């Protein structure tokens, strides 16, 4: 609160010293017949429109945030630059038997509930591009308006661009870790529902989905975790005119000027919403303890030095290892607390080839009846190889 109040007092000084806005009626002059008036200010500083004041206030907030990070090593919520918000992982948040696998991942005010379902690969989903490996894994990311205390379009009207992009990033992070079709011939579907968000909900989806797949008994190579790394610079692009707008990559907005040098800089881990809006970079990194599986870089600067990116990746790795440690502990605790016959099973067996045709003929009617009666999923090949997946030991 003190920083915000200090930022308010800086607004007028910033405008006066930087000459961010020019023209307009004299300070304190009232509007004409329309009844609208600009915001009055110091002598020599013209009144501002609401949009101009919003921009100036944002500049003041950004300056206050950058000063804290660059000179004090502190952030808006009191964290140090490399600190991660409080983590809480639950690998059994839903009643047993309701879903094949589920997990609830919390990082600060960001919360993601993920559920995993294992199904029959045949006939499989219809996907325009990609081979069998791509088609058998679906990840649906949902960012409901209530997750940020907002209202929006009703469910069922189709995913937004944000949801499509965040879902694609989480999908790419997990795809390399899944077992091959030959070892696990089943369809995998993950629903990642963002229940609350204050930064990096896509990385929370990666963490929750990894735990949900592990709890569903999917033999993944390893679990993946995701984290974001931000950047602030001392000399960042500032508004140079009265037009509203922010910095763009190419070409820059005409109302913004680029500095010749960025000066001092600071990297910080686990970005929250305000830091994303006021900072210069949002680097999302997902992967395992052994390496990276997906990266996404959002940057507001025209360029970043290689050494800065190298440092950011190192920060991401250190944070990723901490998150993975919490995730592994939650999964191990949930598996230890589960009843022996309540966990998913995956087995492979061989049957006489004479029984294969009766199982698959008439559109596999007999096979479907067995699956409906037992709750298990069966994948039968012509050679007599049968892969069996059951949500519990009793159904196996």
């Amino acid at each position: 609160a003190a920083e915000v109040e200090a930022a308010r007092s800086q607004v007028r000084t910033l405008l006066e010293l930087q000459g961010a806005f020019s023209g307009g009626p004299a300070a304190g002059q009232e509007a004409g017949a329309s009844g609208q008036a600009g915001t009055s200010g110091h002598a020599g500083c013209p009144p501002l429109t609401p949009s101009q004041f919003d921009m100036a206030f944002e500049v003041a907030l950004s300056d206050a945030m950058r000063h804290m990070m660059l000179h004090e090593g502190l952030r808006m919520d009191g964290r140090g630059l490399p600190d991660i918000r409080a983590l809480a992982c639950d690998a059994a948040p839903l009643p047993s038997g309701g879903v094949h696998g589920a997990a609830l991942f919390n990082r600060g005010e960001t919360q993601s509930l993920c559920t995993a379902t294992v199904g029959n690969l045949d006939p499989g989903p219809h996907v325009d591009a990609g081979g069998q490996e791509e088609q058998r894994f679906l990840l649906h990311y949902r960012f409901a308006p209530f997750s940020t205390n907002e209202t929006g379009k009703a469910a069922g009207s189709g995913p937004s661009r944000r949801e499509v992009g965040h879902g694609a990033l989480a999908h790419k992070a997990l795809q390399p870790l899944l077992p091959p079709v030959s070892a696990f011939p089943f369809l995998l579907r993950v629903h990642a529902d963002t229940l609350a968000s204050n930064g990096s909900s896509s990385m929370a989806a990666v963490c929750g989905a990894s735990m949900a797949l592990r709890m569903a008994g999917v033999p993944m190579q390893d679990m993946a975790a995701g984290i974001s790394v931000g950047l602030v610079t001392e000399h960042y692009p500032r508004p140079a005119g009265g037009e509203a707008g922010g910095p763009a990559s190419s070409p820059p907005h005409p109302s913004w000027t680029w500095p010749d040098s960025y000066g001092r800089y600071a990297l910080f881990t686990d970005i929250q919403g305000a830091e994303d809006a006021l900072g210069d970079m949002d680097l999302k990194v997902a992967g395992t303890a052994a390496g990276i599986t997906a990266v996404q870089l959002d940057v507001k600067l025209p360029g970043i030095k290689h050494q800065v990116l190298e440092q950011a990746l190192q920060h991401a790795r250190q944070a990723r290892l901490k998150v993975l440690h919490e995730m592994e502990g939650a999964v191990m605790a949930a598996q230890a607390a589960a009843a022996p016959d309540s966990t998913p099973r995956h087995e492979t067996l061989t049957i006489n080839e004479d029984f294969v045709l009766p199982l698959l003929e008439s559109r596999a009617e007999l096979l479907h009846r067995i699956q409906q009666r037992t709750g298990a999923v069966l994948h039968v090949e012509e050679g007599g190889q049968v892969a069996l997946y059951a949500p519990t030991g009793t159904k196996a």
Side-chain angles (χ1 to χ4, degrees), residues 88-93 102-106 111-114 193 195 204 208 211-212 330:
C89 303
D90 186 353
L104 183 65
F105 179 83
N106 293 269
Q111 183 180 73
S112 180
L113 175 64
C114 298
D193 290 292
L195 304 183
M211 292 191 293

Side-chain angles (χ1 to χ4, degrees), residues 5-387:
E5 291 301 323
R8 289 182 184 276
S9 66
Q10 293 179 31
V11 171
R12 294 301 175 188
T13 305
L14 280 170
L15 297 177
E16 194 171 273
L17 295 178
Q18 299 172 3
F21 303 104
S22 60
Q29 179 178 339
E30 295 183 359
S34 62
Q36 296 180 349
T39 306
S40 60
H42 296 299
C45 184
L48 305 178
T49 64
S51 63
Q52 289 173 334
F53 186 87
D54 287 344
M55 180 189 292
F57 184 56
E58 183 174 332
V59 170
L61 285 177
S62 181
D63 279 355
M65 181 191 75
R66 292 166 191 270
H67 184 274
M68 289 180 62
M69 290 187 176
L70 294 172
H71 298 280
E72 303 175 31
L74 294 176
R75 298 159 71 173
M76 289 182 173
D77 55 3
R79 280 184 292 157
L81 300 182
D83 294 345
I84 305 174
R85 289 171 289 179
L87 298 172
C89 303
D90 186 353
L94 302 178
S96 177
V99 293
H100 292 164
L104 183 65
F105 179 83
N106 293 269
R107 186 186 61 248
E109 296 177 312
T110 299
Q111 183 180 73
S112 180
L113 175 64
C114 298
T115 56
T117 305
V118 179
N120 202 320
L121 187 60
D122 298 324
H126 297 285
V127 182
D128 294 336
Q132 190 180 26
E133 289 284 349
E134 292 290 335
Q135 294 182 21
R136 64 97 172 231
F137 175 48
L138 304 175
L139 190 146
H140 301 278
Y141 167 92
R142 185 167 180 264
F143 190 91
F146 66 76
S147 65
T148 52
N149 294 325
E150 297 175 353
T151 59
K153 63 182 181 180
S157 56
S160 65
R161 290 191 300 172
R162 176 197 185 104
E163 290 172 317
V164 172
H166 282 45
L169 178 61
H171 183 278
K172 290 181 179 179
L174 297 171
Q175 176 69 38
L177 305 176
L178 299 177
V181 174
S182 58
F184 195 76
F186 300 103
L187 173 68
L188 303 175
R189 184 171 186 174
V190 172
H191 278 266
D193 290 292
T194 303
L195 304 183
S197 177
N198 186 11
S200 300
S201 59
S202 61
M203 297 295 93
V206 172
C207 300
S210 291
M211 292 191 293
L213 288 169
R214 179 64 64 86
M215 292 303 297
V218 179
M220 301 173 64
Q221 298 179 32
D222 204 346
M223 287 197 297
I227 200 70
S228 58
V229 178
L231 168 72
V232 292
T233 56
E234 185 177 15
H235 306 304
Y236 65 102
R238 293 174 177 271
E243 297 292 332
S249 56
S250 178
H253 193 280
S255 70
W256 291 76
T257 56
W258 301 113
D260 294 331
S261 173
Y262 299 144
R264 298 175 61 181
Y265 69 89
L267 294 166
F268 53 97
T269 307
D270 184 18
I271 303 175
Q272 59 181 334
E275 295 169 338
D276 186 13
L278 300 175
D280 298 325
M281 179 186 78
D282 180 7
L283 175 64
K284 297 181 176 68
V285 184
T288 67
I292 295 172
T293 56
V295 174
Q296 177 178 295
L297 174 63
D298 297 329
V299 62
K300 302 174 185 177
L301 303 175
I304 296 179
K305 293 182 179 180
H306 287 174
Q307 66 180 32
V308 176
L309 285 179
E310 290 176 1
Q311 294 173 11
L313 291 174
Q314 287 297 326
H315 287 216
R317 184 179 187 277
Q318 295 172 6
R320 189 169 70 248
L321 294 178
K322 294 180 181 179
V323 177
L324 282 170
H325 178 73
E326 295 292 333
M327 293 166 53
E328 291 168 355
V331 170
M332 292 177 62
Q335 291 175 339
D341 290 334
S342 64
T343 57
R345 301 288 182 87
H346 166 235
E347 299 178 4
T348 302
L349 52 95
T350 303
I351 63 174
N352 193 306
E353 293 186 19
D354 295 337
F355 295 109
V356 173
L357 184 58
L359 283 173
L360 300 180
E361 66 183 359
S362 300
R363 297 184 179 181
E365 180 180 352
L366 178 58
L367 183 64
H368 292 321
R369 279 193 292 172
I370 294 175
Q371 293 180 141
Q372 291 177 356
R373 183 179 304 171
T374 62
V377 180
L378 301 174
H379 177 78
V380 182
E381 297 184 359
E382 294 182 357
Q385 295 291 325
V386 178

